[in-house]
């Protein structure tokens, strides 16, 4: 068994490198120039060469936008914008109650921060992409004559139509809860508003044509509770990283366990059970997750609804066993982690540079603050 | 003919429009105190006329202040005192529209009065489109004997699970408090407890897409019964069959309430050739009974119901698979099939 595994791992790495080498030269292949249309925006994430991936939940699509924002950032300057939502409202000619900041992504090269914003809160809301320069300048990202490509997640099945005659409607929608780029693929987590199931899709990038759309079929994600129960488990937020040269996905479920999933397991149609590495506890909702390196060690930083922010060590995570017995009494088990006080009210989180995170957080009176913070 | 403003002149500095909430103090505000960015838009020069077209529609309750700074034109001498430099400012105030309430909660599913302790979701159906962003502030669960609000019973997703028209919101009960062996359930117990009575309260302060509150607060009161851990089983459904030559409906009685959305779309009728029989589906008796009325009269012969296994009962149990599979129970280890069939004959 072991030699087979080694060979397979080696093959995966070689194929991965081949893809990487091939794609690195031309990430914009298959892109066209024009004005991409959006029904909604967010989540968003950066890929290579200033390419921003924008999930459009309402259109069930992911758009890859070549922002052309590829100039390397200068030295770090702290960023703090009090009332970022007020500034956005002014820019878009409206009031703060008509502004929703749906996601935040930092271009790792230029350190410009991109915000997926909804102007309006109803079904006719207008999605807008904004950016914040490292010196705090807020501006709109033009969608005129840009280079982009687009992939449809799936066509809603005709079976989803309910009602009769002209009143036939499709009420089913899959919300995209997170999106990430890893090496040569885009990972997309979705949650349906009807069946309770989590779908994680792996889409090759540059996006394939329609003929290979089957490659985007989802993987069903399960959670095994202590070897006793198994349930379908929607993924709230995830982050890919290498653990001992093994491409790995760290995912936080909506029911709060933090799990590890080898990326090689994510094959179309597969049923995947994550290995529980931490249980984050009750009254808590995972929001966003990043990875970073400090003092030669890798850490996960997880923003939560009620516990501030958690710094989770990945030390020995590869060899760690899945948590196999219930963790009662408010206790915490699994990978060691530390709760960082003072990072409360975080709505969005991304890595700003090697030593800093960028957070969007709530302040007094509905005011939101965008600021860089030292990574703990 | 107009021409787009040339890039060499920063027209935004010459003519800028600032959006400000309508407040009594706003009219006394000095222009140099404008700290917010100007509104996005495009500038167009037509002869001696400079026109600003905002990128977004103007909105009620906002005042738009146009500020002309001719000194920003090339060749105009600048003056250090910013206020003296402003030649013209004009405020366009869009009055607030007091939108009258027209939207109400038209249905809550499940509509039954008795719901299992491991209930997975509610669908809240509105008569019109709603707004997103503050949904969970307007929904609460109250335990009736103590009148206490249940703490964090729902899975509060920022995305909010709406349909495209935003007339239906799916509210998941926190799966961490339903799944056996998971920490939130171990530590805090289930959100709903068998034997108790609860009310799901949907507050009238919730704003619809027009910014108007709901017509009234909606309250759904229900009794909680023990958890349902049985899989859904089409073989156990009772079929009520019509006779051939009629267009009378066929009915399938589930023997329990099923998930409203999934029951409406996961079952179809196939004829003996495997072709879909056209017709209209309705759910009756609080989603206990699926009713299918054919478009054309029934022909005698064999038919079958094709059921997608993702169909759920109120506790998220599928066909052949309970919501939480007990791993040491071999009966629950059957491979999941995408579809199952139930045959019937029309005579």
């Amino acid at each position: 068994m072991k030699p087979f595994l080694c060979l397979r791992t080696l093959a995966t790495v070689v194929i991965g490198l081949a893809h990487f080498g091939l794609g690195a030269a031309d990430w914009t292949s298959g892109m066209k120039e024009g004005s991409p249309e959006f029904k909604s925006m967010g989540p968003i994430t950066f890929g290579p060469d200033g390419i921003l991936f924008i999930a459009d939940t309402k259109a069930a699509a992911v758009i890859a936008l070549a922002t052309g924002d590829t100039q390397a950032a200068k030295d770090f300057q702290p960023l703090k914008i009090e009332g970022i939502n007020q500034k956005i409202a002014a820019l878009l000619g409206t009031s703060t109650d008509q502004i929703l900041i749906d996601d935040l992504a930092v271009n790792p090269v230029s350190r410009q921060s991109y915000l997926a914003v909804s102007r309006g809160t109803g079904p006719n809301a207008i999605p807008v992409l904004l950016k914040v320069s490292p010196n705090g300048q807020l501006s709109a990202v033009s969608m005129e004559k840009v280079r982009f490509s687009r992939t449809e997640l799936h066509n809603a099945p005709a079976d989803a139509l309910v009602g009769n005659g002209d009143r036939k409607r499709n009420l089913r929608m899959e919300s995209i809860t997170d999106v990430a780029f890893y090496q040569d693929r885009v990972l997309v987590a979705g949650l349906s508003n009807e069946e309770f199931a989590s779908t994680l899709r792996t889409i090759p990038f540059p996006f394939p044509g329609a003929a290979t759309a089957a490659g985007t079929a989802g993987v069903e994600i399960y959670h095994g509770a202590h070897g006793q129960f198994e349930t379908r488990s929607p993924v709230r937020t995830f982050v890919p990283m290498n653990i001992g040269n093994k491409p790995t996905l760290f995912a936080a479920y909506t029911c709060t366990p933090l799990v590890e999933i080898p990326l090689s397991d994510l094959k179309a149609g597969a049923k995947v059970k994550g290995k529980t590495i931490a249980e984050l506890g009750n009254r808590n909702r995972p929001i966003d997750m990043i990875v970073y390196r400090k003092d030669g060690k890798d850490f996960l930083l997880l923003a939560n609804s009620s516990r501030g922010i958690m710094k989770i060590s990945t030390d020995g995570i590869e060899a760690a066993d899945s948590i196999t017995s219930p963790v009662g009494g408010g206790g915490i088990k699994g990978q060691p982690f530390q709760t960082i006080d003072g990072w409360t009210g975080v709505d969005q989180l991304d890595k700003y540079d090697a030593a800093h995170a960028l957070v969007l957080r709530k302040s007094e009176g509905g005011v939101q603050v965008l600021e860089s913070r030292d990574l703990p | 003919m107009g021409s787009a403003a040339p890039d060499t002149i920063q027209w935004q500095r010459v003519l800028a429009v600032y959006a400000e909430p309508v407040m009594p103090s706003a009219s006394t505000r000095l222009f140099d105190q404008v700290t917010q960015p100007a509104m996005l838009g495009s500038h167009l020069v037509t002869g001696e006329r400079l026109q600003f077209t905002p990128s977004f529609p103007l909105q009620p309750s906002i005042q738009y202040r146009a500020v002309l700074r001719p000194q920003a034109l090339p060749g105009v001498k600048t003056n250090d005192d910013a206020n003296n430099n402003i030649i013209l400012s004009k405020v366009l105030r869009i009055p607030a529209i007091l939108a009258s309430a027209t939207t109400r909660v038209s249905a809550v599913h499940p509509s039954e009065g008795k719901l299992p302790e491991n209930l997975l979701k509610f669908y809240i159906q509105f008569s019109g489109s709603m707004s997103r962003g503050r949904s969970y502030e307007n929904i609460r669960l109250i335990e009736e004997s103590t009148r206490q609000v249940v703490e964090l019973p729902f899975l509060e997703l920022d995305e909010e699970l709406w349909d495209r028209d935003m007339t239906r919101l799916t509210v998941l009960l926190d799966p961490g408090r339903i799944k056996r062996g998971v920490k939130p359930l171990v530590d805090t117990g289930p959100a709903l407890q068998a034997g108790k009575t609860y009310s799901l309260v949907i507050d009238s302060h919730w704003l619809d897409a027009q910014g108007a509150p709901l017509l009234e607060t909606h309250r759904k009161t229900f009794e909680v019964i023990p958890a349902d851990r049985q899989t859904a089983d089409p073989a156990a459904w009772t079929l009520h069959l019509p006779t051939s030559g009629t267009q009378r409906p066929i009915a399938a009685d589930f023997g329990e309430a099923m998930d409203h959305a999934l029951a409406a779309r996961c079952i179809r009728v196939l004829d003996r050739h495997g072709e879909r029989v056209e017709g209209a589906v309705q759910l009756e008796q609080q989603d206990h009974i699926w009713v299918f009325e054919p478009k054309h009269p029934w022909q005698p012969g064999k038919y079958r119901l094709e059921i997608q296994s993702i169909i759920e009962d109120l506790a998220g149990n599928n066909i052949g698979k309970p919501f939480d599979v007990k791993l040491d129970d071999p009966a629950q280890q059957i491979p999941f099939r995408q579809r199952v069939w139930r045959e019937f004959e029309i005579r």
Side-chain angles (χ1 to χ4, degrees):
Chain A
M1 196 66 190
K2 218 169 181 181
F4 170 74
L5 272 178
C6 289
L7 276 176
R8 198 174 62 166
T9 310
L10 190 64
T12 311
V13 169
V14 170
I15 291 165
L17 287 175
H19 272 262
F20 192 77
L22 195 71
D26 191 10
W27 290 112
T28 57
S29 83
M31 285 195 177
K32 59 176 182 181
E33 193 181 275
S35 305
E37 282 184 16
F38 292 92
K39 289 184 178 158
S40 62
M41 275 189 196
I44 55 175
T45 192
F46 267 95
D49 292 352
I51 292 172
L52 181 69
F53 295 98
I54 306 167
D56 182 345
T57 280
K58 276 193 179 172
V62 177
I63 289 92
L65 175 74
T67 61
D69 176 12
T70 51
Q71 204 160 16
K74 299 193 178 88
D75 292 342
F76 169 79
Q77 293 282 321
L79 177 70
K80 184 168 185 177
I81 304 179
E82 294 267 9
I84 180 82
N85 55 333
Q86 293 165 333
K87 290 195 187 322
I88 291 171
L91 194 70
L92 304 185
T94 188
S95 46
T96 50
D97 61 350
Q98 293 300 312
I99 293 296
L100 295 169
I101 304 175
D102 287 317
D103 203 12
L104 156 75
V106 178
N107 183 334
V109 177
S110 68
R111 218 182 297 129
Q112 299 217 66
S113 315
Y114 286 67
L115 300 166
V117 172
S118 174
R119 184 194 192 261
T121 57
N124 301 320
I126 305 167
V128 188
L129 185 66
L130 300 177
K131 69 176 172 185
V132 179
S133 68
N135 62 12
Q137 202 67 35
L138 177 69
S139 61
V141 178
S142 169
M143 290 293 171
E144 299 288 320
K145 289 187 183 171
V146 291
R147 284 181 67 72
F148 72 100
S149 57
R150 176 188 169 97
T151 188
E152 310 291 329
L153 289 186
H154 71 121
N155 294 319
D159 283 1
L161 292 175
V162 292
N164 302 320
D166 294 341
R167 294 181 58 218
K168 269 199 170 166
R169 292 195 305 153
N170 182 359
L171 296 171
R172 185 186 180 278
M173 199 158 86
E174 196 170 302
S175 276
I176 299 168
T177 53
D178 207 356
V179 56
F181 178 82
Y182 186 77
Q183 287 194 346
D184 58 355
R185 64 201 95 164
V186 182
L187 304 163
V188 181
L191 175 62
S192 155
N193 66 348
E194 292 189 353
E195 68 274 21
F196 184 76
S198 172
T199 323
L200 195 61
R201 292 180 177 83
T202 307
I203 307 166
F205 188 78
F207 292 140
T212 50
T216 67
V219 173
E220 269 197 276
I221 305 293
Y222 286 77
H223 173 59
H226 320 301
Q228 292 170 31
F229 299 103
E230 183 182 272
T231 50
R232 286 162 290 162
S233 284
V235 169
R236 180 70 192 86
T237 179
F238 64 86
V239 63
M241 73 180 288
N242 270 336
I243 290 289
N245 285 330
K246 195 168 84 174
T248 302
L249 202 67
F250 288 101
Y253 290 153
T254 52
C255 55
T256 78
L258 180 69
V259 301
E260 179 193 347
I261 301 167
L263 229 62
S264 56
D265 285 2
L266 301 181
K267 295 190 179 76
K271 176 184 147 179
V272 171
K273 193 150 59 167
K275 182 175 100 176
T276 307
I277 53 170
E279 291 227 34
L280 306 175
N282 57 64
R283 295 188 183 86
N284 205 1
R285 179 168 48 94
I287 290 173
D288 232 334
M289 189 157 50
I290 58 171
V291 288
Y292 67 100
R293 199 166 176 80
K294 191 165 189 175
D295 304 327
K297 288 181 176 171
D298 291 316
F299 295 94
L300 294 165
L301 198 64
L302 179 65
N304 294 284
S305 59
S306 71
R307 292 192 179 225
I309 206 151
M310 289 172 178
K311 177 187 179 183
I312 303 154
S313 163
T314 68
D315 240 12
I317 212 165
E318 205 185 356
D321 290 332
S322 186
I323 300 175
T324 53
S325 59
V327 191
I332 282 152
K333 207 171 168 181
Q335 285 300 118
F337 69 82
Q338 193 186 341
T339 300
I340 313 293
D341 294 330
W343 288 52
T344 48
V346 174
D347 286 323
Q348 306 285 351
L349 165 74
D350 202 6
K351 195 168 156 184
Y352 199 47
D353 69 1
H356 302 88
L358 190 69
V359 299
L360 176 72
R361 65 173 172 85
K362 287 182 207 69
S363 180
E364 297 294 306
V367 171
Q368 285 179 299
V369 183
L370 182 73
E371 66 176 338
S372 57
R373 290 232 166 157
D374 293 346
L375 281 164
Chain B
M1 282 292 288
S3 61
D7 292 342
T8 45
I9 302 175
Q10 290 191 345
W11 292 107
Q12 180 80 352
R13 294 183 58 198
V14 180
L15 175 62
V17 178
Y18 298 91
E20 301 156 355
V22 176
M23 288 182 296
S25 62
S27 57
T28 59
R29 209 163 160 179
L30 293 173
F31 307 127
D32 62 346
Q33 288 176 333
V34 172
T35 54
Q36 300 296 10
M39 191 181 172
L40 288 172
S42 56
H43 292 80
L44 186 77
V45 178
T46 316
E48 293 182 347
R49 180 187 157 102
L50 170 60
Q51 180 182 314
F52 173 81
T53 309
S55 297
F56 300 96
L58 303 184
Q59 282 202 195
S61 309
I62 301 284
Q63 64 179 19
Y64 296 91
R65 184 188 300 274
V67 177
L68 185 70
R69 298 186 182 94
Q71 71 276 12
L73 283 164
V76 176
K77 222 177 158 187
T78 56
N79 185 318
D80 286 337
D81 187 343
N83 282 328
N84 290 338
N85 277 329
I86 293 169
I87 299 293
L88 186 71
S89 94
K90 193 169 171 69
V91 171
L92 173 66
R93 195 169 292 174
I94 313 283
I97 298 173
L98 288 174
S100 55
T102 54
T103 308
R104 57 158 48 93
V105 174
S106 55
V108 172
H109 292 280
S111 50
E112 274 224 275
K114 290 185 179 182
L115 301 174
E117 186 176 89
N118 56 348
L119 175 77
L120 187 54
K121 55 180 124 69
F122 287 107
Y123 295 105
I124 304 174
Q125 184 70 55
F126 298 90
S127 62
S129 294
M130 295 295 290
S131 66
R132 94 180 154 98
R134 319 195 76 144
S135 298
Y136 297 103
E137 294 171 22
N138 292 296
I139 313 168
R140 59 190 187 277
L141 197 61
I142 294 170
E143 198 276 298
E144 285 294 344
S145 69
T146 57
R147 308 291 295 164
Q148 292 280 310
V149 174
V150 179
E151 196 188 358
L152 292 171
F154 307 119
L155 177 64
E156 297 187 6
L157 289 163
D158 294 336
E159 288 82 7
E160 298 184 3
L161 300 172
W162 290 97
D163 70 320
R164 279 172 188 76
D165 296 333
M166 296 182 67
T167 62
R168 189 189 73 183
L169 179 70
T170 307
V171 179
L172 287 166
L173 281 111
D174 182 355
R177 296 180 72 178
I178 298 175
K179 293 179 173 191
R180 287 176 287 176
V182 171
K183 192 167 167 58
L185 179 65
V186 172
D187 289 352
T188 39
L192 300 172
Q193 288 177 24
K196 292 185 175 176
T197 299
Y198 295 82
S199 289
L200 176 73
V201 179
I202 299 148
D203 205 292
S204 63
H205 293 124
W206 199 344
L207 300 181
D208 69 10
Q210 274 66 50
L214 295 177
L215 275 165
E216 70 234 340
T217 291
H218 185 95
R219 179 179 279 262
K220 178 198 163 59
T221 302
F222 56 95
E223 190 186 318
V224 174
I225 55 176
D228 174 4
R229 307 201 190 280
Q230 298 295 312
T231 56
D233 182 11
W237 297 351
T238 308
L239 298 189
H240 300 279
L241 302 176
T243 48
S244 67
T246 70
Q247 251 175 280
R248 296 192 56 192
I250 173 177
D253 186 339
F254 304 129
E256 63 175 335
M258 295 293 277
D259 179 276
H260 181 75
L262 294 166
R265 72 169 171 90
C266 288
I267 307 170
R268 56 184 197 161
V269 182
L270 303 180
D271 65 16
R272 64 195 167 93
H273 306 294
E275 296 292 324
R276 182 178 190 163
V277 178
E278 283 185 79
V281 168
Q282 276 197 81
L283 294 169
E284 292 182 358
Q285 297 199 13
Q286 298 173 322
D287 304 333
H288 279 243
I289 300 179
W290 175 88
V291 178
F292 175 84
E293 194 171 349
K295 199 174 173 183
H296 306 290
W298 293 104
Q299 301 296 312
K302 289 191 170 167
Y303 291 84
R304 53 187 177 158
L305 296 182
E306 183 182 73
I307 307 125
Q308 291 182 56
S309 300
I310 57 163
I311 198 169
E312 293 173 9
D313 64 16
L314 301 186
N317 299 305
N318 300 124
I319 293 173
K321 182 185 253 176
F323 178 74
D324 40 6
V325 175
K326 209 161 183 300
L327 292 172
D328 59 4
D329 181 355
Q332 295 189 5
Q333 304 306 307
I334 39 176
F336 189 73
R337 289 185 296 160
Q338 294 292 327
R339 288 178 177 78
V340 295
W341 294 272
R342 170 81 191 265
E343 299 198 342
F344 64 93
E345 190 171 354
I346 301 284
R347 294 195 172 91

